[in-house]
Amino acid sequence: MTASRKIFKGLIHTFLGSYTGKAVNFVSTILLTRALLPEDFGIVAMALFLASSAGLIKELGLDYALIHRQDNVDEAGAAHFFLSAVTAAAAFVLTVILYFVLRGHYDPRILLAMVALSAVFTLRSLSATSRVMLEKDLRFSRLAWIDTTSNITTLILAVALAWLGFGFWALVIAGSVNSLTYILITSVRYWSSHWVPFRTSVDREMVRWFFSYGKWILICALATLIVLQYDSFMAGTLLGVATLGFYERAYRFSQYPTDSITHVVSRIALSIYAKYQDDKTELTHYFSFFLSMIVRIAFPLCAVIFVFAGDIVDVVFGPKWLPMVSPLRWLLGYSLLRPLYDDTGAFFTAIGKPKTISLILSVQAVIMFVLVPFLTWSFGIVGTAVAADIVMLVGVVLAYRKVSEHIDLKYGKIFVMPSVCVIIAFLCYYLVFRYVSFGLPVVNLVAGAAFFLAVYGAVLMYFERDEVRKFYRLATEKG
């Protein structure tokens, strides 16, 4: 099987697995949102920020370093497993210390959830080596279905516990089961047929190499925490956990259109960029391919949610969640930009330049640190959402200026056609549905969204039919 064929098949399986999981996730999100209170989601969001803060000690970019490493892979894997276990244990100990330090300052429920989530993160770290080794072998199809299996198990359990009255603990307990399931499946699948990472000694030079590679990624992890979670922390601190619950649900729902794209980019693209890091032509080809794919999927999905946001929240989640509509619409800008940004993170990490993305993240973190409290205090959770949009836009602009120094991109070819197709789809929807109504809100919602996406897809396939034929040949090619 050719490399292109292997990559394309892995891409298909990853998307199928990811969107299968997302479909189940969407249904469970509806049930969870209806069963739990806004403050339940707010408590978990606050606990997640605190647990992630304590867990920064383990963010040395170990996974990225192992993917980047192309020689002495067995020795690197042994060092990776050792460092993953040690840093995860250290992070958990630090979380327990933080629990005692913060007692009296935060709701006890938040602190207990923080410790529980830290334990979940520690468990998940034990499967990191086997997962990364599978990625290095480009076994994306296997990983996709492992992800799907563990995620579906988690979601079913979370919904059951929520409806049984466990409150926010339903989310925490389900996360623990997810980690255990993932560890068992991933580790057994890899270790039973390949290399086993347990060794009596670890190459000290290899450990030093990991630390040397990861020093910039540690800075990157701190900045990432601020860029991706500081907004939730400030919303909870300034506005309360109930208001944070509305923001958290709006943020989570806004990510559905692009979350699976981000997953593919952060995993498949990273391995492919690392494989072709010394071949500018191939690197340009694959980066352009992933960027085009992101834009063509993200644009229409974000547009649909923007147009139908009010109806979606009312019909799907219920009237009590209507305060999340405004921040949801604003956060769609963030959702659109996030996968574009993540693609550059995978790119710079794969080619061995983590310093570049670390510096960009540092700029974003400074802006976020200053902007979020001011806009949140002034405009509530809508201000928090606007701050997140601004920070992500700054990151995308800076990152793509740097990407252009390494490869040649044709931005017009990538962005113009999907933008035109979205505009045409919106105009067709407006012209048809201003005169058509099916009576029931849910029927109007489904029919309108389906019509919008159908028009977009038809127009795009017409103008890009040559590309569609090429993808079809890859998908049906034997061998």
Side-chain angles (χ1 to χ4, degrees):
M1 185 182 291
T2 64
S4 295
R5 170 71 171 161
K6 191 173 184 179
I7 289 168
F8 187 77
K9 292 292 283 186
L11 182 66
I12 294 297
H13 280 281
T14 300
F15 262 115
L16 287 175
S18 185
Y19 275 101
T20 298
K22 289 301 174 187
V24 177
N25 192 307
F26 181 72
V27 174
S28 67
T29 295
I30 296 172
L31 297 175
L32 284 171
T33 305
R34 286 184 171 274
L36 299 177
L37 298 173
E39 74 169 6
D40 291 324
F41 295 103
I43 287 169
V44 174
M46 288 288 287
L48 180 61
F49 177 82
L50 294 173
S52 299
S53 298
L56 281 173
I57 191 174
K58 65 182 178 65
E59 298 298 334
L60 293 172
L62 302 177
D63 295 358
Y64 297 131
L66 183 54
I67 288 176
H68 174 72
R69 186 89 187 191
Q70 299 298 313
D71 61 333
N72 299 322
V73 175
D74 286 358
E75 290 75 11
H80 179 275
F81 184 82
F82 171 76
L83 289 172
S84 295
V86 170
T87 55
F92 180 73
V93 171
L94 186 58
T95 303
V96 174
I97 294 172
L98 190 61
Y99 170 85
F100 290 103
V101 171
L102 296 179
R103 280 198 310 179
H105 300 284
Y106 283 91
D107 187 325
R109 296 174 298 174
I110 294 175
L111 298 182
L112 287 172
M114 173 191 72
V115 174
L117 287 172
S118 180
V120 171
F121 298 158
T122 301
L123 289 173
R124 193 63 175 245
S125 296
L126 298 178
S127 66
T129 302
S130 54
R131 175 180 52 74
V132 174
M133 296 298 279
L134 286 169
E135 289 176 0
K136 283 183 71 68
D137 290 341
L138 302 181
R139 300 181 190 177
F140 303 120
S141 301
R142 296 178 184 178
L143 283 170
W145 296 113
I146 291 173
D147 284 335
T148 301
T149 301
S150 59
N151 288 336
I152 290 175
T153 302
T154 301
L155 295 170
I156 293 173
L157 179 61
V159 170
L161 292 175
W163 284 90
L164 288 173
F166 278 73
F168 71 90
W169 284 112
L171 305 174
V172 177
I173 294 172
S176 302
V177 173
N178 176 276
S179 293
L180 288 172
T181 305
Y182 196 88
I183 290 169
L184 290 174
I185 298 176
T186 306
S187 301
V188 170
R189 185 68 189 86
Y190 186 76
W191 294 344
S192 63
S193 61
H194 204 268
W195 165 81
V196 179
F198 296 109
R199 295 192 178 190
T200 56
S201 62
V202 177
D203 188 332
R204 293 184 179 181
E205 287 300 320
M206 189 64 70
V207 171
R208 292 192 188 97
W209 177 81
F210 269 100
F211 277 112
S212 175
Y213 184 93
K215 62 186 178 183
W216 284 106
I217 294 181
L218 180 59
I219 298 173
C220 181
L222 174 59
T224 299
L225 179 68
I226 296 174
V227 170
L228 299 185
Q229 296 187 38
Y230 182 68
D231 53 342
S232 294
F233 174 71
M234 290 308 302
T237 300
L238 296 177
L239 306 174
V241 290
T243 302
L244 171 58
F246 290 115
Y247 181 81
E248 190 277 339
R249 288 291 85 185
Y251 177 88
R252 190 67 53 196
F253 191 73
S254 73
Q255 300 307 297
Y256 273 112
T258 59
D259 196 36
S260 290
I261 307 172
T262 299
H263 173 73
V264 173
V265 167
S266 63
R267 289 303 173 194
I268 293 186
L270 176 62
S271 298
I272 294 170
Y273 297 158
K275 184 178 181 65
Y276 295 107
Q277 59 186 289
D278 297 320
D279 187 333
K280 182 178 179 180
T281 301
E282 288 296 308
L283 193 59
T284 300
H285 167 72
Y286 282 112
F287 188 89
S288 299
F289 168 74
F290 278 107
L291 183 58
S292 297
M293 177 186 67
I294 288 168
V295 171
R296 279 150 182 76
I297 296 174
F299 275 28
L301 293 180
C302 287
V304 164
I305 293 182
F306 183 88
V307 172
F308 298 101
D311 293 331
I312 290 172
V313 172
D314 189 26
V315 171
V316 176
F317 299 123
K320 73 175 182 180
W321 288 97
L322 285 175
M324 68 179 268
V325 172
S326 292
L328 170 60
R329 282 199 168 109
W330 282 102
L331 284 167
L332 288 169
Y334 176 95
S335 176
L336 188 62
L337 294 168
R338 173 74 184 274
L340 304 180
Y341 181 76
D342 285 346
D343 197 14
T344 64
F347 176 84
F348 288 118
T349 301
I351 67 174
K353 295 185 179 295
K355 179 179 178 180
T356 300
I357 202 66
S358 297
L359 292 173
I360 294 171
L361 272 167
S362 297
V363 173
Q364 290 178 282
V366 172
I367 297 173
M368 178 72 88
F369 194 80
V370 174
L371 202 58
V372 167
F374 171 73
L375 291 182
T376 300
W377 184 257
S378 301
F379 304 103
I381 51 176
V382 169
T384 311
V386 171
D389 289 341
I390 293 172
V391 169
M392 191 54 64
L393 178 61
V394 169
V396 167
V397 172
L398 294 177
Y400 277 87
R401 288 184 63 183
K402 288 294 183 181
V403 166
S404 298
E405 296 177 5
H406 299 275
I407 58 177
D408 301 317
L409 291 175
K410 298 178 180 178
Y411 290 105
K413 182 179 179 181
I414 293 170
F415 286 95
V416 171
M417 187 50 62
S419 300
V420 170
C421 291
V422 165
I423 294 171
I424 292 173
F426 177 79
L427 291 175
C428 290
Y429 163 78
Y430 178 76
L431 291 174
V432 172
F433 279 82
R434 66 181 297 186
Y435 303 111
V436 176
S437 176
F438 297 97
L440 293 175
V442 65
V443 177
N444 287 329
L445 173 60
V446 173
F451 179 84
F452 187 102
L453 293 175
V455 172
Y456 171 86
V459 175
L460 185 67
M461 289 182 69
Y462 175 78
F463 285 110
E464 298 191 341
R465 50 191 177 276
D466 291 338
E467 290 296 313
V468 173
R469 292 193 190 102
K470 183 175 71 174
F471 292 151
Y472 177 78
R473 285 195 298 270
L474 278 174
T476 57
E477 177 183 304
K478 301 296 183 181

